[in-house]
Amino acid sequence: MLLGRTSTAERVADILRDRIAEGYFPPGTRLSEEAIGGALGVSRNTLREAFRLLTHERLLVHELNRGVFVRVLDAEDVADIHRTRRLVECAVVRGLGQPPYALDALAAAVAEGDTAARAEDWKGVSTANIHFHRELVALAGSARTDELMRGVLAELRLAFHVVDDPRTLHEPYLARNREILDALRAGERTAAERLLARYLDDSLTRLSAAYARAVDTPRDPSD
C-alpha cells in the first residue's frame, strides 16, 4: 500500500511539475489541496507527498498555517539555474559522439516556437523554448539527466514570470535555437556547444536585468 501511494505521489508530482513548466501555476500561486486532489482523483495524503517531493525540488514552499505555494525565485536562484544549465547542457552537446544525431524532437521544438511567434503568443514561445532545451538534454539518452533537467527547467519557467516584456526576452532565441539545430544537423558539435554557451550567458544577463528592474520598480499598493 505504501509503495502504491508513493508511486502515485510521484506521478502526481510529475503532472504538477509539468504544469509549472508550462506556466499554468505562476510564482506565488497557492495550490489548493481540495481542487487539485479532486481534479486528479487522489487522496490528501498522496497529494501532500507530491507537494513534499516538489518542495524538495525547490518548486514549492510550505508556509505555516497558510498552505503550499509555488516558489518565488530571487536573483541568486536565477544565477544558480543558469550555472546548472551551462554545466549540463554544454556537457550533453560536447559528449554527443559522432553524427548524425536524432534531431526530430529538437526540430519540432524550433517549429513550435516559430508557430507561436507568428501568432504573437509569447507565452507559447517561452514554452517552446523550454521544450527545445528539454529535447537538447534528451539527446544524451540519460534518464537521470532528463529527470534533473525537468526540475531545473520548471524552475526556469518561474523566473520567466517576472519579465514585463516577454517578447523582448524570448524572440531573439528563436533564431539562436535554429542556429544550434543547424550546427548539429551539420555535425558541428563544437560549434553548437560554443553557440549554446554564449546563448546561456546572454540569457542569464538578460534575465538578471529583468529581475533587477522588477525589484527596483515600485509596486502599486493595491496589487
Side-chain angles (χ1 to χ4, degrees):
M1 185 180 299
L2 178 60
L3 288 174
R5 190 177 73 200
T6 301
S7 177
T8 302
E10 289 171 348
R11 291 197 295 272
V12 171
D14 287 343
I15 292 169
L16 294 177
R17 187 188 304 105
D18 286 344
R19 292 298 182 268
I20 291 169
E22 301 292 334
Y24 289 103
F25 296 128
T29 300
R30 181 181 179 276
L31 299 186
S32 165
E33 288 186 2
E34 294 79 9
I36 296 174
L40 297 179
V42 296
S43 70
R44 180 166 293 185
N45 284 342
T46 296
L47 187 58
R48 287 177 176 174
E49 176 65 11
F51 285 169
R52 187 191 68 77
L53 293 171
L54 294 178
T55 299
H56 181 69
E57 294 179 20
R58 298 174 300 279
L59 293 174
L60 304 179
V61 292
H62 179 266
E63 297 186 11
L64 189 63
N65 299 324
R66 294 192 65 218
V68 174
F69 295 79
V70 179
R71 189 161 171 259
V72 178
L73 304 187
D74 60 27
E76 178 51 37
D77 291 319
V78 174
D80 194 36
I81 287 167
H82 279 77
R83 281 193 293 268
T84 303
R85 293 180 68 199
R86 207 178 193 285
L87 284 169
V88 175
E89 294 186 42
C90 290
V92 166
V93 173
R94 190 182 316 125
L96 283 178
Q98 296 302 312
Y101 310 119
L103 301 174
D104 287 351
L106 201 65
V110 170
E112 178 189 354
D114 290 340
T115 299
R118 285 194 295 271
E120 297 190 354
D121 174 11
W122 303 110
K123 179 180 176 181
V125 171
S126 170
T127 299
N129 192 46
I130 294 287
H131 292 168
F132 177 86
H133 290 279
R134 187 180 66 195
E135 297 302 339
L136 184 70
V137 170
L139 293 174
S142 166
R144 291 173 178 81
T145 306
D146 289 346
E147 182 177 357
L148 167 66
M149 290 304 294
R150 275 199 301 271
V152 171
L153 292 173
E155 281 193 273
L156 178 65
R157 187 55 180 263
L158 296 181
F160 289 162
H161 282 281
V162 307
V163 178
D164 54 4
D165 185 359
R167 177 173 185 169
T168 298
L169 179 69
H170 299 303
E171 189 173 33
Y173 296 103
L174 293 167
R176 297 179 79 164
N177 287 347
R178 186 170 294 281
E179 285 179 340
I180 293 169
L181 174 63
D182 289 344
L184 292 174
R185 277 175 168 161
E188 296 174 357
R189 183 183 60 194
T190 301
E193 183 187 353
R194 186 169 58 249
L195 289 167
L196 177 61
R198 190 158 57 241
Y199 175 127
L200 293 173
D201 288 345
D202 290 348
S203 175
L204 173 57
T205 298
R206 294 164 68 88
L207 201 50
S208 295
Y211 257 73
R213 287 194 299 271
V215 170
D216 292 341
T217 300
R219 295 185 62 84
D220 188 325
S222 65
D223 288 348

